[in-house]
Amino acid sequence: MVIFCNGDLSVRRLEREDAPLLVRWLSDPAVLEYYGGRDCPHDMEKVQAEFYSREEEEIHRGIVQFKGRDIGYIQFYPVGSEEKDVYGYADYTGRIYGMDQFIGEPQLWNQGIGSLLVGGMVQHLVEVEQADLIVMDPQCRNHRALRVYEKNGFVRGKLLPEREWHEGERRDCWLLSYTPT
């Protein structure tokens, strides 16, 4: 089932048959440098546990396609109360969504595909999911991703010191937010 399309890019629901794709992408050191960590490659057992065995009904998982080819992964979800506290939105009454994504084919990086993905997902979250605010917390060192997000209307908020465990150490992240106009 297609979640959304944006030009040559589309996102479809994650299926059980996609597990080998996730294993391939999440065992690639180039991808893991930014998503998960090179010290944490995924085998089939780990992919099954992280993407298929969890009972997190509110996480919507998808496969990113470009010109009909599977090239990456995206997930979106309503932000829970614990994250709202960390982000400083504990009293916010609107609908807040979070999203995480990666392009699993490094040869396709730096070609504008990330902007198509983020822009399309933002449009989906605002128009279909009725999001009032969209947030992400990428690592501060992920400059390519930060450029893509800011190009698509996200604004840097507060610094989240030592937010994420990555490759043996705590890494700082930026809280980014997008508010529909």
Side-chain angles (χ1 to χ4, degrees):
M1 175 185 152
V2 174
I3 298 171
F4 74 84
C5 295
N6 188 12
D8 287 333
L9 183 133
S10 62
V11 172
R12 63 174 176 78
R13 295 246 180 253
L14 179 70
E15 303 290 341
R16 288 236 171 247
E17 301 79 43
D18 296 320
L21 285 171
L22 293 171
V23 169
R24 182 165 56 86
W25 293 331
L26 293 172
S27 59
D28 182 335
V31 174
L32 290 171
E33 182 177 356
Y34 299 101
Y35 197 98
R38 291 169 287 198
D39 59 342
C40 199
H42 287 54
D43 57 14
M44 186 60 74
E45 182 178 338
K46 189 167 186 168
V47 162
Q48 291 294 331
E50 287 193 23
F51 293 90
Y52 297 101
S53 298
R54 293 179 159 180
E55 295 299 322
E56 299 163 317
E57 68 283 342
E58 292 198 276
I59 295 181
H60 305 274
R61 303 174 194 277
I63 292 293
V64 180
Q65 297 181 307
F66 186 69
K67 296 183 178 178
R69 177 180 166 207
D70 298 331
I71 65 157
Y73 172 80
I74 191 165
Q75 63 185 25
F76 62 95
Y77 46 88
V79 172
S81 58
E82 186 176 310
E83 275 187 303
K84 284 182 182 180
D85 284 345
V86 170
Y87 293 160
Y89 292 115
D91 297 326
Y92 188 84
T93 57
R95 300 180 93 180
I96 305 176
Y97 273 82
M99 54 191 264
D100 307 291
Q101 58 280 318
F102 64 82
I103 294 175
E105 304 292 340
Q107 70 275 14
L108 297 177
W109 293 355
N110 301 312
Q111 296 184 28
I113 298 169
S115 285
L116 285 175
L117 175 59
V118 171
M121 181 53 72
V122 164
Q123 183 176 358
H124 173 81
L125 290 174
V126 170
E127 294 178 1
V128 177
E129 306 296 334
Q130 302 296 301
D132 298 304
L133 183 67
I134 304 168
V135 295
M136 288 190 278
D137 59 358
Q139 290 181 25
C140 294
R141 65 184 195 85
N142 193 345
H143 303 290
R144 179 177 47 248
L146 289 165
R147 279 192 304 276
V148 168
Y149 305 149
E150 290 173 336
K151 179 179 173 183
N152 282 276
F154 282 83
V155 176
R156 288 186 204 204
K158 69 179 186 174
L159 181 66
L160 302 169
E162 300 182 352
R163 169 82 173 137
E164 182 174 299
W165 183 258
H166 186 84
E167 298 186 344
E169 63 183 88
R170 303 293 307 174
R171 304 287 178 120
D172 295 346
C173 295
W174 278 111
L175 173 62
L176 297 174
S177 63
Y178 176 92
T179 305
T181 52

